[in-house]
Amino acid sequence: AQKITQTQPGMFVQEKEAVTLDCTYDTSDPSYGLFWYKQPSSGEMIFLIYQGSYDQQNATEGRYSLNFQKARKSANLVISASQLGDSAMYFCAMREGNTGKLIFGQGTTLQVKP
Amino acid sequence: GAVVSQHPSRVICKSGTSVKIECRSLDFQATTMFWYRQFPKQSLMLMATSNEGSKATYEQGVEKDKFLINHASLTLSTLTVTSAHPEDSSFYICSATGVGNQPQHFGDGTRLSIL
């Protein structure tokens, strides 16, 4: 069965510092997609970054980058130059190939300190 | 701008009321829409998958008669919580995706409070 694990319930980071949010996954499918979403306290889910299982390079989107280590089955999110507005809950998710369903991790609450 | 619109954003109503939540894709054809439920400080729990023109596929443990889903067009899916009770109070959020490897785009969610 497919599974996503986020082992950090909460993280703190100093403003302007970089932070890594961990995500590991388990699947037997050779083709899968990995996503990170941000959920501020207002509740909306904001898509941040996507990594395909066959992508050779790590995905990057502005201050977000995904450290994809396929052999270790990890897809950690790196946020560089943290801003106060980055304080939110972050979810890692994996897409099932056949159905398109997203399986979410438990989430990590990030707090950026001024 | 938002590509998925969800309405209403908040509902407060009495026990026994049925509540309808709409999810619209604004600038793309959503072949599949998903409905999630989220309790405070927890992850999103998938309730059902909705494909345009066909019956929704419900996850195990989700009562299909309680949570009615309709996906009548490529831009609109609705979730109706029938005869809602306080235990149905939660944050409900929809997402939509088109064909291929597009990410799911989420609505802003609906906070449902049953008194």
Side-chain angles (χ1 to χ4, degrees), chain A residues 53-73:
Chain A
S53 57
Y54 294 120
D55 293 345
Q56 295 296 315
Q57 293 188 325
N58 287 344
T60 61
E61 288 285 349
R63 294 186 298 111
Y64 305 109
S65 60
L66 200 152
N67 184 1
F68 182 45
Q69 298 196 24
K70 197 169 183 177
R72 293 186 179 183
K73 295 189 175 180

Side-chain angles (χ1 to χ4, degrees), chain A residues 37 39 95 100-102 105, chain B residues 38 43 59 101-102 104 108:
Chain A
Y37 286 87
Q39 187 180 41
R95 180 168 56 199
K101 293 181 189 179
L102 284 181
Chain B
Q38 185 182 30
S43 189
E59 296 299 302
N101 283 326
Q102 295 181 38
Q104 288 186 23
D108 287 347

